[in-house]
Amino acid sequence: MTTIYLIRHAEAEGNLYRIAQGQDDSILTDRGWRQVKALERRFDGVQIDAVYTSDLYRTRATASALYLPRNLTPHLVRDLREIHVGVWERRTWGEIARRWPDQMSDFSRRMDRWHMEGAETPAQVLERALGAVQKIAAENGGKTVAVFSHGYVIRLLLANLQGVSLRDTGDKSPTGDNTAVSLLEWDGETLRVVRQNDNSHLLTPEYLSGEKVRRRASGLEPGLYFAPLRLPEQETLAAELTAASWEGTPPDPDFGGPALAGYLGEEPVGLLRFGPAEGEITLLCVRRDCRRQGFGAQLIGQAVYHWRPLGAERLTVVLPEGCAAEGFFGDYGFAPAEAAGAGRRLWVKNIGFDPMFKS
């Protein structure tokens, strides 16, 4: 009997920032790395003979929880990659929901009829991923292996192995949490699901003690879509939004730098402005009545996706010392660095890829 632990990757940027990742590479979040550590603790003392992983960064990094402590070399399997979502890749789920509402619904609920320009079909993904897992099982007779893949792929696999059609997968096969563990057995002919989407390692006091950032209701929660701030016609809107986002005196609304407005439906709820220096954020604000809904994280995500292609490996923001925003930026991976003038300090967030996990 071959035992297979089928494991979803840890939280990556797209999960947090609500961006369709598909086969686009993204790094793990701070929460994601805590999940990796929790996964390592969960499997402490468990015999693992081999580790297989999708070749994307987020799965390779997650797989390190099992292969590094055991001095194993991970096997990279391209067919374990996430579904390629075509023209959706790198777009926010908010934009997708606005532009393609019917296809957005089908992507989650009616996989049998979902299609998008440049994308794989769910049936194609299932065929390649199932073939890869069957091949891994056949090559490891009597052993225990770990296989790291992605939420949509694992959802398709678990449904198929339990006799659920593509048409019904959306209703009968939910997406597991990041790092959720499913257990499969292979008897030489048939793969059987023993247990699915177990996240008990994320419910321990040791893991929960580090939870600060709110959980999302759904990985496909639509969230915001973004558009460049149009000046001068939107200068009044920008000034009002900035003022409505700050207690006391707001920062100087100098909108000389490139800026994005974030919208929920047709309502502007946030604003992001870039500075002239590489990686610089000069303004990030969310309307007071729209806070604690994950919108600030999505603004950070837009900063990452703006600056990283331009070569930046860190984001920076200057904050007044002791201001309330320090807590927000700290929760999302920024750390205080050098002083930046009287009563002000530079905060820095690393956004570079670790070459160890980069293909």
Side-chain angles (χ1 to χ4, degrees):
M1 186 71 72
T2 303
T3 299
I4 299 174
Y5 290 102
L6 182 60
I7 305 169
R8 186 186 178 196
H9 64 79
E11 184 183 78
E13 289 174 323
N15 303 127
L16 178 62
Y17 303 147
R18 298 181 207 170
I19 292 172
Q21 296 174 109
Q23 294 186 7
D24 184 53
D25 248 345
S26 58
I27 66 175
L28 298 186
T29 65
D30 290 344
R31 173 189 276 163
W33 280 112
R34 291 195 303 103
Q35 291 170 345
V36 169
K37 193 64 180 177
L39 196 63
E40 180 180 341
R41 291 192 296 266
R42 175 191 179 127
F43 280 91
D44 184 34
V46 176
Q47 176 66 33
I48 300 292
D49 298 302
V51 174
Y52 294 79
T53 177
S54 150
D55 61 346
L56 295 180
Y57 183 101
R58 57 192 185 271
T59 38
R60 297 179 65 179
T62 307
S64 68
L66 271 64
Y67 74 75
L68 285 180
R70 294 166 177 80
N71 294 315
L72 297 173
T73 299
H75 302 274
L76 307 185
V77 182
R78 186 180 178 87
D79 282 343
L80 293 173
R81 280 187 171 198
E82 183 60 290
I83 183 172
H84 193 293
V85 292
V87 296
W88 282 9
E89 298 214 354
R90 296 178 64 88
R91 298 181 187 270
T92 67
W93 288 112
E95 179 187 356
I96 291 167
R98 186 169 184 261
R99 293 184 59 181
W100 297 280
D102 293 338
Q103 289 285 46
M104 173 80 168
S105 176
D106 285 347
F107 184 70
S108 182
R109 301 297 301 277
R110 282 295 304 269
M111 300 173 181
D112 58 311
R113 65 189 185 193
W114 181 79
H115 62 90
M116 186 52 54
E117 179 186 349
E120 298 176 280
T121 67
Q124 290 170 329
V125 175
L126 176 60
E127 180 179 12
R128 65 164 165 82
L130 182 58
V133 174
Q134 289 173 333
K135 184 173 185 290
I136 290 168
E139 292 175 349
N140 289 275
K143 296 181 180 179
T144 298
V145 301
V147 175
F148 289 82
S149 190
H150 303 262
Y152 204 81
V153 171
I154 292 173
R155 191 179 182 190
L156 292 170
L157 284 170
L158 293 176
N160 178 266
L161 294 176
Q162 295 175 94
V164 178
S165 69
L166 269 180
R167 185 190 189 286
D168 296 330
T169 293
D171 290 328
K172 297 182 178 180
S173 184
T175 301
D177 287 342
N178 292 110
T179 68
V181 178
S182 298
L183 180 62
L184 312 179
E185 288 183 346
W186 167 264
D187 62 6
E189 296 182 359
T190 304
L191 277 169
R192 180 174 71 92
V193 179
V194 178
R195 185 170 64 249
Q196 68 183 59
N197 295 333
D198 179 12
N199 69 344
S200 56
H201 54 289
L202 303 182
L203 303 176
T204 65
E206 189 170 8
Y207 175 78
L208 292 174
S209 65
E211 280 288 76
K212 295 180 180 178
V213 180
R214 68 177 286 275
R215 290 175 61 86
R216 298 179 315 283
S218 165
L220 296 183
E221 194 176 293
L224 305 182
Y225 72 92
F226 294 87
L229 192 66
R230 302 188 308 275
L231 296 176
E233 60 265 35
Q234 286 190 305
E235 187 166 355
T236 299
L237 166 66
E240 291 174 350
L241 182 58
T242 305
S245 305
W246 289 78
E247 306 288 351
T249 304
D252 180 14
D254 173 12
F255 299 104
L260 292 176
Y263 296 84
L264 184 65
E266 301 304 315
E267 281 291 311
V269 300
L271 187 66
L272 173 69
R273 188 179 69 199
F274 308 109
E278 184 177 88
E280 184 180 17
I281 297 171
T282 57
L283 178 67
L284 188 156
C285 60
V286 176
R287 269 181 15 205
R288 283 195 294 271
D289 61 329
C290 294
R291 291 178 181 173
R292 300 186 181 279
Q293 299 180 56
F295 300 146
Q298 294 177 66
L299 290 165
I300 292 174
Q302 291 302 299
V304 171
Y305 277 65
H306 172 82
W307 281 117
R308 185 186 285 142
L310 298 177
E313 293 195 350
R314 67 178 199 167
L315 297 180
T316 64
V317 62
V318 174
L319 301 174
E321 292 196 88
C323 73
E326 288 183 343
F328 165 79
F329 283 101
D331 283 347
Y332 287 103
F334 286 78
E338 65 267 21
R344 297 163 65 83
R345 186 164 295 278
L346 182 73
W347 286 63
V348 176
K349 174 182 174 66
N350 292 321
I351 61 171
F353 287 89
D354 185 333
M356 179 176 183
F357 307 118
K358 185 72 170 159
S359 56

